[in-house]
Amino acid sequence: MERVRGREAELAEMAGMLRRPQGRFAVLCAAGGMGKTTVAAQFAAQADAAGWHVFWVRWRDAAELAQQMVQVALACGLPEEELDSARAGLVSLPDVVWRQLGRARRWLLVLDNADEPQEIGPVGEPLADYRGWIRPHGRGLLVMTSRDSSPQTWGPRARLLPLTPLPAQPAGQILVDVAPAAGTAEQARDLAVRLGGLPLALHAAGTYLAGPTSRWSMNCPSYWGPSTRTPLIRNLPAPWCGTPGRCPWTSSPEKATLWPAPCCDY
């Protein structure tokens, strides 16, 4: 796995929570393109290497989430008879799952792409009541990734970890990591600033610059002028083409063009 740059504080915060959850869960929150999933994956790899049981669940819909949460509980030792009671409607399925997660030790559960947390349920109740699938309970740590950064959504037990654009130094280092032969560290920092420190844009640009058919380098003057989007962005391969109408930065044509399309995640 490639090294994550500029997110050391967030990784350290989650590492501390993993050791001592204290009835909390973490939410990596930011607009698209900031690297939420990448940071969560790095943290999951670190936890796995340290001997924790790691589970990765990607949000798609409530039915699939329920199935995956049951699989997590079974992997953590949930007795089949308790699951049968939930299937028979005698007890709540989320209650059964979280009861088992309260017994198990040393687990990390990542729920990725929870951009519409109100859809997670339970229906008609605020997520922050912690009566559904999102709960600050158990002897492990729940980590969410979401575009929703509202404290009201996640409630008092959530530790919100907002991701912002990267500073010049770590942003430039990403370009050097991906395209080491495309220019100097100083040129990489300059280009990273032009790209707004957005991890998605940095990786897209670096991948293009490192390609065998690329005609550009980091020191190409065409990157620095008002025609920035002409040589680089126009030639970015799908799905990095972006959809300007969905970009929060619509005032900037360059950044809007680099924003990921609805089918893209990062």
Side-chain angles (χ1 to χ4, degrees), residues 8-60:
E8 292 79 9
E10 291 82 4
L11 290 168
E13 177 80 12
M14 290 189 292
M17 293 179 68
L18 185 62
R19 292 189 295 269
R20 299 185 64 188
Q22 296 181 323
R24 301 171 296 167
F25 64 101
V27 182
L28 289 166
C29 50
M34 289 296 176
K36 301 181 295 294
T37 297
T38 300
V39 175
Q42 176 70 47
F43 181 58
Q46 293 175 355
D48 180 67
W52 295 73
H53 301 290
V54 177
F55 306 97
W56 189 282
V57 174
R58 182 173 176 81
W59 164 258
R60 291 184 177 86

Side-chain angles (χ1 to χ4, degrees), residues 14-265:
M14 290 189 292
M17 293 179 68
L18 185 62
R19 292 189 295 269
R20 299 185 64 188
Q22 296 181 323
R24 301 171 296 167
F25 64 101
V27 182
L28 289 166
C29 50
M34 289 296 176
K36 301 181 295 294
T37 297
T38 300
V39 175
Q42 176 70 47
F43 181 58
Q46 293 175 355
D48 180 67
W52 295 73
H53 301 290
V54 177
F55 306 97
W56 189 282
V57 174
R58 182 173 176 81
W59 164 258
R60 291 184 177 86
D61 57 53
E64 185 170 341
L65 176 61
Q67 294 174 1
Q68 294 187 79
M69 291 294 289
V70 167
Q71 293 304 311
V72 170
L74 289 171
C76 289
L78 176 66
E80 284 286 349
E81 55 268 22
E82 292 189 28
L83 181 57
D84 291 339
S85 297
R87 287 169 173 164
L90 301 177
V91 291
S92 161
L93 183 58
D95 285 351
V96 168
V97 167
W98 278 102
R99 186 181 304 126
Q100 183 58 35
L101 292 179
R103 301 173 187 139
R105 295 178 179 270
R106 294 180 64 85
W107 54 263
L108 168 66
L109 171 59
V110 178
L111 178 50
D112 186 34
N113 201 40
D115 293 334
E116 298 179 345
Q118 70 277 6
E119 300 295 326
I120 296 176
V123 177
E125 293 187 25
L127 180 150
D129 286 351
Y130 306 136
R131 292 165 50 86
W133 291 116
I134 308 305
R135 303 188 185 192
H137 307 324
R139 296 185 177 183
L141 179 65
L142 171 65
V143 174
M144 315 281 297
T145 73
S146 178
R147 298 188 185 194
D148 191 326
S149 59
S150 169
Q152 288 71 35
T153 296
W154 303 105
R157 292 292 186 174
R159 176 68 174 96
L160 301 186
L161 300 172
L163 301 184
T164 58
L166 292 169
Q169 196 283 327
Q173 189 59 53
I174 289 176
L175 288 171
V176 173
D177 291 342
V178 180
T184 67
E186 182 179 358
Q187 291 164 349
R189 288 193 294 271
D190 289 342
L191 178 54
V193 171
R194 290 285 181 172
L195 293 173
L198 183 70
L200 174 64
L202 296 166
H203 277 269
T207 300
Y208 176 75
L209 290 169
T213 60
S214 173
R215 298 178 291 114
W216 308 96
S217 64
M218 293 183 203
N219 65 346
C220 177
S222 297
Y223 286 123
W224 315 129
S227 60
T228 297
R229 64 197 300 252
T230 303
L232 171 62
I233 302 174
R234 186 179 62 192
N235 288 284
L236 288 177
W240 305 108
C241 54
T243 302
R246 293 177 62 89
C247 174
W249 297 350
T250 51
S251 60
S252 170
E254 293 86 356
K255 292 172 183 174
T257 306
L258 277 169
W259 202 258
C263 61
C264 306
D265 291 295

